[in-house]
């Protein structure tokens, strides 16, 4: 059972436009979510997180939205830059758990 | 070092051989994780170490997989009698805290790419 789903394997946007990456989860016990970015031949790097007590968290060009009733979160990147081209992983965890459960990732390509 | 260091970066082995993968976490990080990413898949949790507590081995796919950690430093992941389905990138990560707590973000190494022929 895939607890974290990223249904779009890839996304292509123009530089300067908004990128929206989506993530759905099935485990209602998850109360903390993270986004990681991964460049080729590098390990994933932490990008932004959100607790289930919030519905939005913003950090510069990156905003994560959480809709608990829909078990859905999204990552918005505005404006998108070519350097944002990477694979983005969504992850969820249950409070007190040490395990992050990751989705399969979405490959974002930002075209100049 | 400044980040999580993993070795080897690439390993090609024959089916049935044993392999050892090494991870040096960030100094001071008490938590250490092993994940793997098979082609086209997400990151799959394998094992977690926290200080002197018993490790959480619930993600290890079979008894051919084992891992050890020396105190709060180096960890080795051992795969015995490798199979072709073991081919993956094995990622090590460390953190100060559990996810969800301040400082709980995982810092990943670059991974060890294992290819079993």
């Amino acid at each position: 059972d895939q607890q974290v789903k990223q249904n779009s394997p890839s996304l292509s946007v123009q530089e300067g436009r908004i990128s929206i990456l989506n993530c759905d989860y099935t485990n209602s016990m998850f109360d903390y979510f993270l986004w990681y970015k991964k460049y080729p031949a590098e390990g994933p790097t932490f990008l932004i997180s959100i607790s289930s007590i919030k519905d939005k968290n913003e950090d510069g060009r990156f905003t994560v939205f959480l809709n608990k009733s829909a078990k859905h979160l999204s990552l918005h990147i505005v404006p998108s830059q070519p350097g944002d081209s990477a694979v983005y992983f969504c992850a969820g965890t249950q409070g007190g758990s040490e395990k992050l459960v990751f989705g399969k990732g979405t490959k974002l390509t930002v075209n100049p | 070092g400044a980040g999580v260091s993993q070795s080897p970066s690439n390993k090609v082995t024959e089916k049935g051989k044993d392999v050892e993968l090494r991870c040096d976490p960030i100094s001071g990080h008490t938590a250490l994780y092993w994940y793997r990413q098979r082609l086209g898949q997400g990151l799959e949790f394998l094992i977690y170490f926290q200080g002197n507590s018993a490790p959480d081995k619930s993600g290890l796919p079979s008894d051919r997989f084992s891992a050890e950690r020396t105190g709060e430093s180096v960890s080795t992941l051992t795969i015995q009698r490798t199979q072709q389905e073991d081919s993956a990138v094995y990622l090590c990560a460390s953190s100060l805290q559990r996810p969800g707590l301040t400082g709980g973000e995982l810092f990943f190494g670059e991974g060890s790419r294992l290819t079993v022929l």
Side-chain angles (χ1 to χ4, degrees), chain B residues 19-54:
Chain B
V19 297
E20 270 193 5
L21 307 175
R22 176 188 169 103
C23 173
D24 282 277
I26 293 173
S27 178
H29 281 193
T30 57
L32 186 146
Y33 303 75
W34 283 97
Y35 281 82
R36 75 174 175 182
Q37 185 182 17
R38 290 188 281 188
L39 192 64
Q41 302 298 312
L43 279 70
E44 176 187 3
F45 169 81
L46 296 178
I47 188 169
Y48 162 78
F49 295 90
Q50 172 64 52
N52 295 320
S53 301

Side-chain angles (χ1 to χ4, degrees), chain A residues 2 31-32 34 36 38 41-46 49 87 89 93-105, chain B residues 33 35 37 40-45 48 50 56 58-59 89 91 98-101 104-111:
Chain A
Q2 204 178 336
D31 58 5
Y32 190 71
L34 305 90
Y36 278 78
K38 185 181 185 300
E42 294 185 11
T45 55
F46 170 74
S49 62
V87 177
F89 290 97
T93 188
Q94 180 179 340
S97 169
E98 296 82 12
K99 300 175 204 173
L100 289 182
V101 179
F102 286 86
K104 291 186 178 183
Chain B
Y33 303 75
Y35 281 82
Q37 185 182 17
Q41 302 298 312
L43 279 70
E44 176 187 3
F45 169 81
Y48 162 78
Q50 172 64 52
D56 179 349
S58 60
V89 176
L91 289 157
R98 296 173 176 172
L101 300 177
E105 295 82 20
L106 271 62
F107 294 82
F108 283 87
E110 294 184 352

Side-chain angles (χ1 to χ4, degrees), chain A residues 15 32 42 57 65 80-81 93 97 100 106:
Chain A
E15 181 178 5
Y32 190 71
E42 294 185 11
N57 189 27
F65 295 92
S80 301
Q81 299 173 353
T93 188
S97 169
L100 289 182
T106 297

